[in-house]
C-alpha cells in the first residue's frame, strides 16, 4: 500500500488540499474553521496520513527541526526542561533533537557545527559559559539561538531562566529568621552565570543582614554531588564555624549532607542547609530538602516559544531576558540555629 497523499485526505474531508494542509499544520490551523480542522484531522487519522515534513521544508526553506544542547543528560535538572520544550515544539510541528555535550566545549562545538550543517532551524542551548566564544559566533550568525538556565557575559541572545537573585535571597532570609548568623555558600562554578549570580546575591543578602561575608563563599568545581562533598570536606578541615549552608544547587547540597553526616553532623539539629532547583527526588530525602523551586518545565516551554517566534520572524532582533518566578519550599533540612 502506497503513502497516503494530502489530496486524498482533502477529498475525504470534503475540502481543498490547501485547506487540508493548513488544518494539519499546527502553525497555520488558526486560519481554518475549528470544525473543519476536526474533520480534516479525523480524515487523516482514518486514512493513516503522515505529513511529509521534507516536502513542507522545501516549500518553506525550513527543516522543522530544533536542537536542544545540554551539558549532562544524567543531571535531573534537564529532563523537565526537555519536556517543556518538546511539548511546545511538537505542537508546532517541529521535531526536537537532543544532544549531550558531557561538559566538553570541543565536543559541543562539533555537535553544533554538525547540526547547523544538517540545516536545523534553531537551537536552545543550556550549556552557556560566562565567557563563551561559540555563543559569540552564533550571536553573529543568522541562526536563531535561545539560551536556557544559563547565559553568557557578552552574547546578544535571548535568555530564559529562573530568578537566581531572588531565590538566594529567600534562602538567606529564611535562615536568618531562624537565628542563623554563620552561613556558608557553596557556590557553583564561576564560569557559569548561575554560579556567579547566586554567589553575588548571597554576598548582597548577607551584607543587608549585617553578617560577615569574608570567607563565606566556597566555589565548587562543578554542580555535582562530588563537588559538594569536596567543599564540605574543606569546611571540616578548616574548622570554620557554621550553622547553615546555602548550596548553589540541590546536588551540591546532597554531597555536602553526605560528608557532614559521616562526620556526625546532624541536619537540622547541628546545621541547616538549603538547595536550589527542587529536583524531583528532593522531597523524598531524609530529611527532605528545603530548596528553591524553579519552574523547569515552564523554562523549557518559554524557551521553545521564544525560539519559534524568532524562526517565524527571522528579520527581527531577539535579546529578551526572561526571568521566571521562584519560591522557597521549606522542608526538613532547616531549623533554628543551635
Amino acid at each position: 500500500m502506497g503513502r497516503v497523499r494530502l489530496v486524498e485526505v482533502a477529498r475525504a474531508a470534503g475540502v481543498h488540499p490547501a485547506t487540508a494542509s493548513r488544518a494539519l499544520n499546527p502553525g497555520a490551523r488558526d486560519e481554518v474553521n475549528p470544525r473543519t480542522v476536526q474533520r480534516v484531522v479525523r480524515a487523516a487519522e482514518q486514512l493513516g496520513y503522515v505529513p511529509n515534513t521534507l516536502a513542507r521544508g522545501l516549500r518553506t526553506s525550513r527543516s522543522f527541526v530544533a536542537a536542544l544542547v545540554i551539558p549532562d543528560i544524567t543531571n535531573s535538572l534537564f529532563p523537565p526542561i526537555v519536556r517543556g520544550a518538546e511539548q511546545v515544539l511538537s505542537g508546532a510541528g517541529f521535531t526536537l533533537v537532543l544532544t549531550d555535550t558531557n561538559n566538553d566545549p570541543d565536543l559541543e562545538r562539533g555537535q553544533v557545527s554538525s547540526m547547523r550543517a544538517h540545516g536545523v532551524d534553531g537551537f536552545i542551548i543550556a550549556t552557556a559559559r560566562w565567557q563563551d566564544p561559540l555563543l559569540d559566533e552564533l550571536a553573529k550568525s543568522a541562526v536563531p539561538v535561545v539560551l536556557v538556565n544559563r547565559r553568557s557575559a557578552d552574547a546578544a541572545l535571548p535568555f530564559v531562566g529562573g530568578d537566581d537573585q531572588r531565590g538566594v535571597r529567600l534562602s538567606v532570609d529564611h535562615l536568618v529568621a531562624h537565628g542563623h548568623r554563620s552561613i556558608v555558600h557553596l557556590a557553583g562554578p564561576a564560569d557559569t552565570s548561575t554560579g556567579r549570580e547566586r554567589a553575588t546575591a548571597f554576598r548582597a543578602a548577607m551584607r543587608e543582614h549585617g553578617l560577615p561575608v569574608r570567607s563565606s563563599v566556597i566555589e565548587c568545581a562543578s554542580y555535582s554531588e562530588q563537588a559538594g562533598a569536596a567543599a564540605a570536606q574543606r569546611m571540616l578541615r578548616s574548622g570554620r564555624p557554621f550553622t547553615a549552608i546555602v548550596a548553589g544547587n540541590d546536588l551540591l547540597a546532597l554531597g555536602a549532607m553526605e560528608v557532614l553526616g559521616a562526620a556526625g553532623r546532624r541536619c537540622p539539629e547541628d546545621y541547616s542547609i538549603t538547595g536550589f532547583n527542587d529536583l524531583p527526588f528532593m522531597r523524598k530525602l531524609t530529611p527532605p530538602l528545603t530548596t528553591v523551586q524553579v519552574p523547569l518545565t515552564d523554562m523549557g516551554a518559554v524557551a521553545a516559544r521564544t525560539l519559534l517566534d524568532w524562526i517565524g520572524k527571522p528579520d527581527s532582533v531577539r535579546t529578551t531576558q526572561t526571568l521566571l518566578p521562584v519560591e522557597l519550599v521549606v522542608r526538613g533540612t532547616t531549623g533554628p540555629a543551635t
Side-chain angles (χ1 to χ4, degrees):
M1 183 175 179
R3 183 188 184 102
V4 177
R5 298 176 300 162
L6 179 64
V7 66
E8 296 173 72
V9 175
R11 187 182 303 120
V15 299
H16 190 277
T19 301
S21 177
R22 289 195 296 273
L24 294 173
N25 181 356
R29 62 174 45 142
D30 288 344
E31 304 171 14
V32 182
N33 182 287
R35 291 185 180 179
T36 302
V37 171
Q38 292 178 1
R39 195 163 70 250
V40 172
V41 170
R42 187 162 52 247
E45 292 174 346
Q46 292 173 347
L47 293 172
Y49 172 74
V50 177
N52 189 335
T53 304
L54 177 59
R56 182 158 59 108
L58 291 173
R59 290 194 301 271
T60 61
S61 299
R62 295 180 189 169
S63 65
F64 292 91
V65 176
L68 175 52
V69 184
I70 62 173
D72 181 6
I73 200 168
T74 65
N75 188 329
S76 299
L77 172 73
F78 296 107
I81 295 176
V82 174
R83 178 179 296 122
E86 197 280 330
Q87 289 173 345
V88 170
L89 290 167
S90 63
F94 277 69
T95 298
L96 177 64
V97 175
L98 182 67
T99 183
D100 178 4
T101 70
N102 195 31
N103 284 298
D104 184 333
D106 293 331
L107 179 60
E108 177 183 358
R109 179 175 288 276
Q111 291 172 336
V112 169
S113 296
S114 176
M115 287 185 287
R116 289 187 68 184
H118 282 83
V120 301
D121 287 328
F123 294 87
I124 299 173
I125 295 182
T127 55
R129 287 168 291 280
W130 190 241
Q131 301 293 336
D132 200 321
L134 175 59
L135 292 182
D136 294 337
E137 294 171 18
L138 289 173
K140 296 174 184 177
S141 72
V143 62
V145 177
V146 177
L147 306 182
V148 67
N149 189 53
R150 298 179 187 172
R151 56 183 143 195
S152 68
D154 302 314
L157 294 168
F159 164 74
V160 180
D163 191 340
D164 288 336
Q165 293 188 21
R166 174 170 170 76
V168 171
R169 182 177 300 277
L170 289 173
S171 297
V172 173
D173 289 350
H174 171 69
L175 293 170
V176 170
H178 280 76
H180 293 278
R181 296 294 181 270
S182 299
I183 307 173
V184 175
H185 177 49
L186 303 187
D191 66 346
T192 64
S193 63
T194 49
R196 297 171 69 92
E197 291 172 4
R198 292 171 193 175
T200 298
F202 175 81
R203 292 187 179 99
M206 292 284 282
R207 291 191 186 99
E208 287 187 11
H209 286 290
L211 300 177
V213 176
R214 186 178 179 182
S215 302
S216 62
V217 176
I218 300 175
E219 183 183 338
C220 299
S222 64
Y223 277 119
S224 65
E225 291 184 54
Q226 293 82 358
Q233 289 168 346
R234 287 162 57 189
M235 291 168 61
L236 292 174
R237 285 196 300 268
S238 71
R240 184 194 188 285
F242 66 93
T243 64
I245 300 171
V246 174
N249 80 343
D250 293 340
L251 297 180
L252 292 174
L254 285 180
M257 290 173 68
E258 182 176 1
V259 166
L260 294 174
R265 303 286 186 96
R266 300 166 302 161
C267 179
E269 291 84 1
D270 299 324
Y271 73 97
S272 291
I273 188 168
T274 65
F276 207 108
N277 288 325
D278 194 23
L279 299 180
F281 53 90
M282 293 302 103
R283 68 195 65 188
K284 298 181 180 180
L285 299 179
T286 304
L289 183 66
T290 294
T291 184
V292 176
Q293 187 176 78
V294 180
L296 298 172
T297 302
D298 291 345
M299 190 185 296
V302 172
R305 283 194 288 270
T306 303
L307 182 65
L308 289 173
D309 187 44
W310 188 347
I311 292 171
K313 301 174 183 176
D315 295 331
S316 56
V317 178
R318 307 289 171 177
T319 58
T320 306
Q321 307 290 294
T322 304
L323 295 182
L324 301 182
V326 301
E327 62 177 302
L328 183 69
V329 181
V330 178
R331 299 193 180 109
T333 59
T334 52
T338 55

